[in-house]
Amino acid sequence: MIIAIRPAVKKLLLTVLVVLWLLLLYYDWQRVQAQQNVSDLAQLQQQAQRLARLQSGRSTLSPAPQQLTSLIEQAARHHHLTLLEITLGQDDISVALPQVPFERVNAWLADLQRNHGIHIQKLQVTALPETGMVRVATLRLQG
């Protein structure tokens, strides 16, 4: 006994099969993406743990005053800043600067903190009439 299937039903069955096949492909793609995301998350967590260990290790080691002075001078040269005077204190370093563009001072201080772990202990800045220029009245840094 042969059952005759109408053309409209054939089209419907074919459409359903194609949709099912596409859904299976999408499901498989989602599964692969989920596995990749889990792998990426595990890598990020490992990197975050390693970064936390490095940061905690760096904060416990304080460079010698001569090293701090050298790092401060090198970073200043990199940012095209002239240091008038560097004075070593007991646990900090005072720095004297001429009139300078604020952007350079800001970039220099960010570089010191981000790359060398040198933090601002005290900063007093006065804006000058010339646009963008400042006078750094007090700058004390600590490593």
Side-chain angles (χ1 to χ4, degrees):
M1 170 190 261
I2 298 177
I3 300 175
I5 301 176
R6 294 183 185 162
V9 174
K10 281 184 182 179
K11 284 184 181 178
L12 180 62
L13 286 174
L14 184 59
T15 303
V16 168
L17 288 175
V18 168
V19 168
L20 284 173
W21 181 71
L22 289 173
L23 286 173
L24 286 173
L25 285 177
Y26 180 73
Y27 170 78
D28 189 51
W29 180 77
Q30 285 292 320
R31 185 183 52 79
V32 169
Q33 289 297 314
Q35 288 173 345
Q36 182 64 42
N37 289 341
V38 168
S39 174
D40 290 348
L41 178 61
Q43 281 183 321
L44 283 173
Q45 288 173 334
Q46 287 175 347
Q47 290 175 353
Q49 290 170 353
R50 192 171 75 217
L51 182 60
R53 283 193 307 270
L54 288 172
Q55 285 178 335
S56 68
R58 184 161 78 183
S59 66
T60 59
L61 299 174
S62 179
Q66 294 80 13
Q67 283 182 303
L68 281 176
T69 303
S70 177
L71 289 172
I72 290 168
E73 289 172 340
Q74 287 173 1
R77 279 192 300 275
H78 176 75
H79 291 279
H80 307 289
L81 291 172
T82 302
L83 303 180
L84 297 177
E85 184 180 340
I86 297 179
T87 307
L88 295 175
Q90 234 175 1
D91 62 346
D92 63 5
I93 296 176
S94 295
V95 179
L97 297 166
Q99 297 179 3
V100 292
F102 178 72
E103 295 84 20
R104 283 192 200 166
V105 174
N106 194 31
W108 173 58
L109 293 173
D111 182 31
L112 287 174
Q113 184 171 354
R114 181 178 52 249
N115 296 325
H116 306 292
I118 299 172
H119 301 282
I120 301 166
Q121 190 176 27
K122 185 174 183 180
L123 175 64
Q124 291 178 328
V125 178
T126 304
L128 298 174
E130 188 178 339
T131 304
M133 297 296 285
V134 295
R135 176 177 293 119
V136 178
T138 304
L139 175 56
R140 287 198 324 234
L141 303 169
Q142 187 174 29

